[in-house]
Amino acid sequence: MCIAISIIAIQLNAQIDQKRINALETFLEERMKKDQIPGLLVAASYKGELIYTKSLGMASLEHKVPVIDSTVFEIGSISKQFTAALIVMLEEENKLSLDDPISKYVTEIPGEWYGVTIKQLLNHTSGIPDYEAIAGYQYYDNRRTPMDIIKVANSKPLDFKPGEKFRYCNTGYYLLSMIIERVTNKSFLACLSEKILEPLQMARTGLFDPTEIINNRASGYSRTKSRIENRRPSEPSSTLGAGGLSSTIADMAKWDAALYGNSILSTEALEKLWTPGVLNNGSKIGYGLGWRIEPYKGHKEQYHYGMMYGFVANITRFSDDGLTFFVFANRYQLSLGRIVEAVMEAFVPDLTEE
C-alpha cells in the first residue's frame, strides 16, 4: 500500500515531487529482488505525522500475507531509546542518578563491574563485554534469566576500564532493564507501558513474546546461500530493553511526535538523550543515550539501527528539518544502509548535493 505524498510534504519542500518518489519505489523493488527481502515497509513523517508509507512484499511467505501499513515488526536495538528514556525519566523523579554505580541496584554483578555507572551503560562506555557477541544470536532462542546474561558476559574480563572507550554493548541495556525493574518494582514492560506506551497510545508496541497472539505480526526470515528460511522465534526474556520490542510505523510516528514536544519528556531530558558521551580523556563519541548522534551532510541527525534474528529496522531523525524516516524489513543480516539513504534522499534533495 502506498499513501500518496500529502500537501504537508509538498509545503515542506517544493523539490519533493512524484518523480522522485517513483524513482525511490523502483529502487526499493529492485533492492528487494537483489537482496531477497521477503517484506519491506518504509515511511516518512513530519514532526510525527506520517506523510508517506510504502509497503512491499510479504509479512508471511508461507501464508502469503502481504506487508501492510499496520504490520508489526520486531525493531531490535531501536528498543534501546525507550530504555534510555525510562532511565532519564526515573532520574527526574529522583529515583536514581545517571552517575550512580550500577552496583547500587544490581548487587549480583562481578566485582570488577562495580565501578561502572548508569551513564556508562547508556552510552556504551562501560567496558562490560557484550553477551550477544559472546553467545551469538542463537542465544535469544530460549528463555533466559538475568543471571544467565550476567554469567555469559562475565565469561570474559572487562574489555577496557570504564569510560576509556566506546564499544557497543547489549549487556549494558539488559542491566538497565534490570535497574528499571528494581527501582519501580514493576516489570520492564509494565513500566514502559505506564510511562510511554499508554500516554502516547502506542497500543501495538510491546515485547515480542512468541507465545502471544499479535495481530498482523510479520514472520522473520534468514537467508542461506541457497534459500530463505524461517527463523527461530526469539524470547524477549533474553533481551528485554536491549532489543526486545516490536512495533508498527504508526506507533513509531507517535513516539517521534512526542520527541518534538514535552508531553512525556522534558526539554532537559531530551537534551540528555542527544548529548554525545564523553570519554575519560575528554573526547566525545558519536552516541548519546540510546541514540547515535552524528551530522549527515550538513543536517543534524539522530538515528539507530535495530537487528534481531529475522528482522532489521532503522529510525533516522533530521530533527532540525522535522523529518523522520523509518525502514522495517523481515530478513536477518540485511544491510539497510543504501535503502535508508535512498529514502532520505527522496525527501531531502540536498543530501545528494556535495
Side-chain angles (χ1 to χ4, degrees), residues 18 48 59 92 226 245 251 348:
Q18 195 60 45
E92 290 197 330
S226 59
L245 297 181
D251 270 13
V348 188

Side-chain angles (χ1 to χ4, degrees), residues 74 217-218 220-222 229-234 308-311:
E74 293 179 22
R217 186 210 296 253
Y221 301 95
S222 60
E229 297 182 340
N230 285 313
R231 65 89 192 240
R232 294 178 180 176
S234 299
M308 280 302 295
Y309 192 35
F311 295 88

Side-chain angles (χ1 to χ4, degrees), residues 299-312:
H299 293 258
K300 183 178 179 181
E301 182 189 32
Q302 302 137 358
Y303 73 98
H304 215 290
Y305 281 91
M307 181 181 291
M308 280 302 295
Y309 192 35
F311 295 88
V312 289

